Amino acid sequence: MTNIIATSISPVHVVGGGLAGSEAAWQLARSGVPVILHEMRGVKGTDAHKTDGLAELVCSNSFRSDDAETNAVGVIHAEMRMAGSLIMSCADKHQVPAGGALAVDRDGFSEAVTRALEAEPLITVVREEIDDLPPEDWDLAIVATGPLTSSGLAKAIQKATGEDQLAFFDAIAPIVHRDSIDMDICWYQSRYDKVGPGGTGKDYINCPMNEEQYNAFVDALIAGDKTGFHEWEGTPYFDGCLPIEIMAERGRETLRHGPMKPMGLTNAHNPTVKAYAVVQLRQDNALGTLYNMVGFQTKLKYGAQAEIFRMIPGLQNAEFARLGGLHRNTYINSPVLLDRSLTLKSRPGLRFAGQITGCEGYVESASIGLLAGRFAAAERLGREIVPPPPETALGALLGHITGGHLTTDEEPGKRSFQPMNVNFGLFPELEPGSIVRPEGIKRFRGKDKAIAKKKAMSARALAACKTWLGTA
């Protein structure tokens, strides 16, 4: 335990010493605000963690791409560095060779984060389990307990927010970038041209298959390389979220009578030929840049997913904002529960950060911790809370968490919100004329245009972040 130096400023409590909680504590202390960081490891372990070190990496040691020109993950790396991120600083100091990715020596990284936080005079690290919501006399607090939130705290969150506002199990379908879908093959139409709440009758993108294509696809699903559950997750298959490959194994025609049924759909490109099966994609965000593969939650490994799903006509060049999965993941329905400063709407002063808010990935978790820490510091110091612009990677991810989602025709009132990594599909579209044709390229389209678009989005994001940091 470290001791906070004497100060007239009341401390902010941070629950959870993972990447998000560690980053939140650091940002608070760097702003001159004392912090009490509560971490249960050291008193009580989890099935996933192996040490009691802060910011321990429990899965991969990779922070993914460090390319800040053409990759949204690299952009958020750069923005976090600009904001004085402890997580990025320690990652950079403990980097190991990984090509264009930023990978770290996991033990060295965790030890560096732990040392930095324990050496900071404004931070007190307390090893204890918090099994309930922070008490009211903690007037400012941040809950950053991650996907393995202890059962006691999870039950308290569920009680405070509502039974249907906390997910313990995540059935994720892949999400595709709209501009990578071949609309010469696909078409817009709702089944039976149904116009639901806010709909037009053309609310889905439809990908047709003939019988030969369908059978080849089913064979590939059954033969595809699949990942198993971790021991602590169990195998909680239930009919509401069966993996697509499990449905395929139950019978060759199962998918045609389930998520791939062709009924009520007419191919706009070939109206006289009835599709044997149809894959539907539903708009996933308000920007209209991302589309969700309806009913395609899966346990296929990522490489197999990309290969097999590109067999679908119209998705042969698909770029995935997120691939599918099926695993335990405790997260709240943030767009309903949190405001733009990550504060629980029903309880001022209580913020959430990290994966429990519905973001995926190490850097995404840490970045939301960074924002929560900066927001809480501003509130404690009586300053205006200024969220990052939506053009930044930080702002785009914050927008994903706190808004920008759609209700569905099938489940009115239910949000489309699911955890996601940062990607360019979360960013606002560029202004007309923002994409500049590189010199020497005559036919500016396809891959060349896609790269130029990413570079323009990246440059816009970093410029906006620099401006924001000068005003926030």
Side-chain angles (χ1 to χ4, degrees), residues 217-228 237 243-246 249 298-309 323-325:
F217 182 68
V218 169
D219 289 340
L221 285 175
I222 294 172
D225 195 9
K226 302 168 183 67
T227 184
Y237 293 148
I244 191 78
E245 62 275 9
I246 299 298
E249 291 172 355
T298 179
K299 285 298 286 181
L300 288 167
K301 290 187 176 179
Y302 284 172
Q305 284 186 50
E307 181 180 350
I308 293 170
F309 295 153
L323 288 164

Side-chain angles (χ1 to χ4, degrees), residues 17 22 41 51-57 86-87 90-91 93-94 104-119 127:
S22 295
R41 286 179 298 113
T51 76
D52 60 4
L54 301 174
E56 179 187 340
L57 306 181
L86 173 66
I87 294 301
C90 292
K93 290 175 183 175
H94 292 274
V104 303
D105 176 313
R106 65 176 72 238
D107 292 333
F109 167 77
S110 175
E111 289 167 5
V113 173
T114 303
R115 284 197 306 270
L117 293 173
E118 290 181 341
R127 299 286 183 167

Side-chain angles (χ1 to χ4, degrees), residues 24-36:
W26 184 256
Q27 293 292 325
L28 281 156
R30 291 288 117 173
S31 298
V33 176
V35 183
I36 299 177

Side-chain angles (χ1 to χ4, degrees), residues 23 26 63 77 80-81 84-95 102 104 109 112-113 116:
E23 186 64 58
W26 184 256
F63 283 34
H77 284 183
M80 290 173 68
R81 289 184 179 111
S85 165
L86 173 66
I87 294 301
M88 291 307 301
S89 173
C90 292
D92 289 336
K93 290 175 183 175
H94 292 274
Q95 184 174 4
L102 173 60
V104 303
F109 167 77
V113 173

Side-chain angles (χ1 to χ4, degrees), residues 130-141:
I130 304 297
D131 59 3
D132 203 344
L133 282 180
E136 294 287 347
D137 59 358
W138 294 4
D139 65 322
L140 287 183

